[in-house]
Amino acid sequence: MRSGADRIPSVLAGRRSVRGRCTRSLPPTLLALAVAATACPAAAQSGPLGEAAGVAGGGTGLAVSGTPDRSFGLAGRQPQFTASIGGNATLTNNSNLSSNATKESDLILSVTPSIGVNYQGGRLNLDGNVGLTALYYVNGTQDNSIYPAIALAGTYEAIDNFLFIDGYVNGNTQFISPFGPQVEGQNTSNTYTAYNYNLAPYIRGRAWGDVEYFARSDSTWSNSTQDGFENTYLWAVQASLTRGPRPWGWSLLYNMNRWDGGSRQTFDNNVARLVLTYLVNESLTISARGGYESQSGTLLSSTDVIYGGGLTYRPSPRTDLNGYWEKRFFGDSWNASFTHRLPRTSMSLLTSRDISFTTNSLFTVPGTSNVFTSVDALLATRIPNADARAIAARELISRNGLPDTLTSPVQVYTDQLTVQTNYSGILVWSGARNSAALNGFYLRTQGITATGVALPGLLTGINTVQRGGSVSFSHRLDPLTSLSAVALLQDTVGFAGSAGQFTRTYTYRLQASRQFAPKLSAYAGARYVASDSNVDNAYNEAAIFAGATYVF
């Protein structure tokens, strides 16, 4: 029972989906209908602004992030529907993840039916999964529960090659606090259900010969089932005029973010930038950036000058380095990435510092935790076609017993404005019979005011540093059977208002997997979890589990 990091990406991984995010409480059925009726392509995570908006040219600084890329194909095809059902049985000696003195054993049964859709029509693209998981505790040590696993994304091309409408619906179980227990497949006091809904019309095109224009408006609503968690809403506007470097280029960028965190905090931010780019050679582009921003909120307001620079370096199709740095109202801000791939190895490093809202970070899966993304990059040279490569990547992960995602930090549901500093990386290696994946992360989250001043004494539980990593190794015994071992570390410490708090958790898991038939796969294994904390219960848990999935 991971945060959106475990289930949502596995739904959309390997398919091109939509970008954009934003948040306030909209009924799930209404939004699902809206998304089904509105769907289409966007650009990469940095946005359709390309380099001008992303790294070298001039990231938005408050860009709506975390949603995957959806490419748009005009060649229509019949909708592809898939249905599957999965079952799992877990025998644990600590079903409530409590201290040794009060722990209780139980047999936990779960069933997960799911329906997937993938449609690429002349104007409409729709992709995703709708499912649910039911948990039953045989000995009644915990409440039985049913929770959703929803990830639907779509795009509609309203006017040919000009007006598009994106939308998505996400719903899944999340963790409340990084200090609490985080064991998959168990109902604990540290879990809740969250939903995100998004609608985003945008236009794009070319004017005056070689000038590209783009404008997008994202509205995103977030709500949850947890008492005390207020609904949040984010309205984000992006607009740009861009001329590519020949060798000089430029971009005019405007970003507006209006966030409503409920009764506790609101925040408005307006940013205007000019980005000048220079093409040094076919591999290197550098940029200088400057502008002005204003922000206001429940806690004070300010106006500031922005300045900084960036670069993009692509010496070959296998290597990519890009990033930017800016001086913002909250201090230094940056976003940089490095990716490199070899025939059997893929590596990715990311770092960033920027404002974060619950609304656009809740279901975000870091690229350095997503094994599918790395395996997909690994196959890029051998399989140029994106759709065929996605299928091959998914088959390789399944056949070799690799996890879909590795450990990642918890995105805390909060109605406060925060600044997050992130460092993370992933390395994936795939051999003829052996495969391995390694990742690590560091995430520092701190609450701030609209003037960028930290809130040291108010945000207990939000001022945290999360560090951790995982290593996974798998061995294929034969074409249908594999063995895998995973070790994970999650370490959370508090500072300022949370000073002195800590939780450190180690997880070890062994698993055997086999494909019994083209549509039937099964697995069995064991795990051990040891957690030490002065915030929640210190506990340990040992469990054995087995399960199967059938695709209709």
Side-chain angles (χ1 to χ4, degrees), residues 446-465:
Q446 182 166 25
I448 63 168
T449 70
T451 62
V453 176
L455 297 175
L458 301 179
L459 303 180
T460 301
I462 295 177
N463 291 330
T464 61
V465 173

Side-chain angles (χ1 to χ4, degrees), residues 408-432:
S408 61
V410 173
Q411 292 292 344
V412 178
Y413 195 111
T414 175
D415 53 7
Q416 298 288 344
L417 179 65
T418 64
V419 167
Q420 291 192 332
T421 304
N422 167 68
Y423 300 92
S424 58
I426 185 171
L427 175 69
V428 173
W429 171 78
S430 178

Side-chain angles (χ1 to χ4, degrees), residues 432-449:
R433 301 185 66 177
N434 299 314
S435 299
L438 171 70
N439 86 314
F441 65 83
Y442 171 97
L443 179 67
R444 187 180 191 273
T445 303
Q446 182 166 25
I448 63 168
T449 70

